[in-house]
Amino acid sequence: MRLRVAHVTTYRFSAPMRFFVQSHRLTPSRFDGQVVREWNVAVEGGAFGPDFVDGAGDTITTMSLAGPVDLVEVLVTGVVDTRDLAGVLKGHKEQISPIVYLRGSAATMADKAILALAEKAVDGIAGTSGLDRAHALAAAVAEAIVYAPGETHVQTRAAEALALGKGVCQDHAHVLIAAAVSLGIPARYVSGYLHASADGELHEASHAWAELYVDGLGWVGFDPANRCCPDERYIRLGSGLNALDAAPIRGVSMGAGAEALNVDVAVTAVQQ
């Protein structure tokens, strides 16, 4: 599938900022499931440093903007060819050992309820393949948390989302990571984009899911929010321990103005 992305992130400040700097994880991953045909990240007046690839195989770019500035727009446009690999991150080059992702984080800390969910999900299948256990965990998280925008926020932790029983893709990913790590399965958060579902229903184009490390296969993606593994509708950007760690844009600004943020993302299929 050939997908076109238009992603605009707008920052408005009540008073001009003296300086603005960001770290971008906005370049699609390089692996067998996707090929970048066109890609551009632009900020009017912004100075971009050279790209570098971190140990997880993600491309990172730094952008700075000298003030005074009261409006900043990060414009991302591009075209990516995607292929369904049943969620397997085949051909992705990285140097970090999977065991690094057995570390917990505040956002993905397992409580008693998450431990119970994980144990129940794999009960009776412990002797089968790691892939079966991973699928069982993803299915259990999908059943436990109803997709409900507006019920949680960016700082909601996995335990809080599970207790509420509602959330969005970030919450599904955090709970799945917490459950997997509690069983000794390396797991990480993935940010990216999603095109419309197979049945034509539109989803949030800016999306997130989790990857679990399966012996014999490597990293495999699971999207409990949509009850599937990432396929040709998905564009992978980058990964991390949690949503903050894997955020496409992170930054700081210097000044006394209050910030207002707006994000518009559109992903459309184009004729090849």
Side-chain angles (χ1 to χ4, degrees), residues 101-248:
Y101 297 97
L102 289 173
R103 290 185 297 160
S105 70
T108 60
M109 192 67 65
D111 65 355
K112 290 182 179 180
I114 291 177
L115 293 175
L117 179 145
E119 291 171 1
K120 182 178 179 181
V122 300
D123 184 37
I125 62 171
T128 59
S129 74
L131 183 60
D132 290 339
R133 300 176 77 207
H135 275 292
L137 286 172
V141 172
E143 288 293 331
I145 301 177
V146 176
Y147 183 79
E151 297 291 337
T152 56
H153 51 80
V154 294
Q155 295 180 339
T156 299
R157 299 184 179 189
E160 296 169 332
L162 181 59
L164 183 64
K166 300 176 183 179
V168 292
C169 57
Q170 171 181 299
D171 304 301
H172 286 97
H174 279 166
V175 175
L176 178 53
I177 291 167
V181 171
S182 76
L183 297 176
I185 302 172
R188 63 190 181 187
Y189 190 100
V190 180
S191 61
Y193 303 112
L194 172 62
H195 181 47
S197 68
D199 59 9
E201 293 293 327
L202 292 179
H203 292 254
E204 290 289 337
S206 181
H207 199 54
W209 56 96
E211 288 176 347
L212 277 59
Y213 193 82
V214 178
D215 290 339
L217 286 176
W219 290 106
V220 181
F222 295 89
D223 181 8
N226 289 301
R227 298 174 181 265
C228 68
C229 290
D231 52 31
E232 73 276 2
R233 298 170 296 153
Y234 292 69
I235 295 176
R236 186 187 190 278
L237 289 178
S239 62
L241 292 174
N242 50 47
L244 178 62
D245 201 29

Side-chain angles (χ1 to χ4, degrees), residues 8-12 71-75 259-264:
V8 182
T9 305
T10 305
Y11 302 84
R12 289 184 172 85
L71 174 67
V72 179
E73 285 190 338
V74 182
L75 309 176
E259 176 185 291
L261 171 66
N262 184 70
V263 180
D264 290 311

Side-chain angles (χ1 to χ4, degrees), residues 30-31 53-58 91-95:
R30 298 184 180 93
F31 71 103
V53 178
D54 67 7
D58 299 334
H92 187 257
K93 296 181 180 179
E94 50 189 285
Q95 298 177 345

